[in-house]
Amino acid sequence: MQITEQTRDGVLVLEAAGRLDSSSAGALEAVLPARIQSNDKVVLNLTEVPYVSSAGLRVLLIGAKAARAGGKKLALAGLSESVREVFDISGFTSLFTIAPDLEAALAALD
């Protein structure tokens, strides 16, 4: 999994690419909670993530809890149809601000 970072309009944007599964979840877990703690607003762009396993969901839940505990805002952008289905089935859809693309996610955090 590749993770890149940029700042747009005062919002930290993390871009993930590749499968988010048991072999790659550690890479995101090493970055996401710390970035949420040090930024008021974070967007995790998952446009280039075709698959999320239960290990990936666990890392995203850790991020959601970090945001909630710190009074920070976290939005997810660009979920593919299959990833969105995993979120719907697992009940994760209600835990996150989910936007169809990066621009909508940035707007949702205003």
Side-chain angles (χ1 to χ4, degrees), residues 64-81:
K65 288 181 176 180
R68 193 168 295 118
K72 312 292 182 152
K73 292 183 179 182
L74 171 64
L76 305 180
L79 277 64
S80 69
E81 189 175 314

Side-chain angles (χ1 to χ4, degrees), residues 4-16 41-48 74-79 97-110:
T4 58
E5 300 179 27
Q6 63 174 310
T7 302
R8 296 233 350 232
D9 303 322
V11 177
L12 177 66
V13 177
L14 298 173
E15 306 253 359
K41 298 176 183 178
V42 176
V43 171
L44 179 57
N45 190 350
L46 299 174
T47 302
E48 299 297 322
L74 171 64
L76 305 180
L79 277 64
T97 299
I98 299 175
D101 56 38
L102 179 57
E103 297 305 319
L106 291 168
L109 292 182
D110 278 342

Side-chain angles (χ1 to χ4, degrees), residues 56-104:
L57 289 175
R58 183 185 70 79
V59 172
L60 295 173
L61 182 60
I62 290 169
K65 288 181 176 180
R68 193 168 295 118
K72 312 292 182 152
K73 292 183 179 182
L74 171 64
L76 305 180
L79 277 64
S80 69
E81 189 175 314
S82 60
V83 170
R84 181 62 187 242
E85 186 175 327
V86 169
F87 272 67
D88 291 342
I89 291 169
S90 65
F92 272 52
T93 306
S94 64
L95 300 177
F96 294 93
T97 299
I98 299 175
D101 56 38
L102 179 57
E103 297 305 319

